[in-house]
Amino acid sequence: QVRLVESGGGFVQAGGSLRLSCAASVTFFSINAMGWYRQAPGKQRELVATITLGGTTNYADSVKGRFTISRDNAKNTVSLQMNSLKPEDTAVYYCAADATYRSGGATNTYWGQGTQVTVSS
């Protein structure tokens, strides 16, 4: 079982900050890379940031310098600190995790239910 639960979304004005958190609960799986994605209405889901088990990060160009992804391997959590928010950051933000089944070794990507972030001008 792999369960991901996001929290921290909300409504902020442009220039403000939010911190998103994702807590993973797993049974018979080991979590590898984790990340954040977002999707605006009528648009494709896009990558925001990812972080490997070793802490290597990757960011979309649109959020570089403003967002920071981090993780706590002991707690199986991943966070996204979002600063200098812009209206174009408005979207549903999804937590994702690559998880490997301990017995069979199969790896799949699992998704949280999403949390709404709305940035007003």
Side-chain angles (χ1 to χ4, degrees):
Q1 183 185 46
V2 179
R3 297 173 62 190
L4 304 174
V5 180
E6 301 99 333
S7 62
F11 188 95
V12 299
Q13 291 186 314
S17 298
L18 282 175
R19 185 176 180 86
L20 306 182
S21 296
C22 173
S25 178
V26 300
T27 303
F28 303 125
F29 286 85
S30 295
I31 293 176
N32 303 313
M34 303 184 77
W36 289 95
Y37 296 74
R38 66 188 182 187
Q39 186 171 27
K43 295 185 178 180
Q44 295 281 95
R45 188 174 300 183
E46 65 176 353
L47 180 148
V48 177
T50 59
I51 184 168
T52 68
L53 193 63
T56 301
T57 58
N58 182 47
Y59 296 92
D61 289 341
S62 59
V63 307
K64 286 181 179 177
R66 299 188 298 121
F67 292 9
T68 302
I69 189 171
S70 61
R71 67 186 293 167
D72 185 330
N73 293 337
K75 296 181 178 180
N76 274 341
T77 59
V78 62
S79 297
L80 185 70
Q81 179 66 46
M82 305 185 293
N83 298 325
S84 301
L85 283 162
K86 305 174 181 179
E88 49 264 45
D89 294 319
T90 296
V92 176
Y93 283 69
Y94 295 91
C95 175
D98 290 340
T100 301
Y101 189 67
R102 297 172 184 173
S103 296
T107 300
N108 292 294
T109 300
Y110 297 85
W111 300 88
Q113 81 288 346
T115 185
Q116 178 70 48
V117 172
T118 302
V119 185
S120 66
S121 60

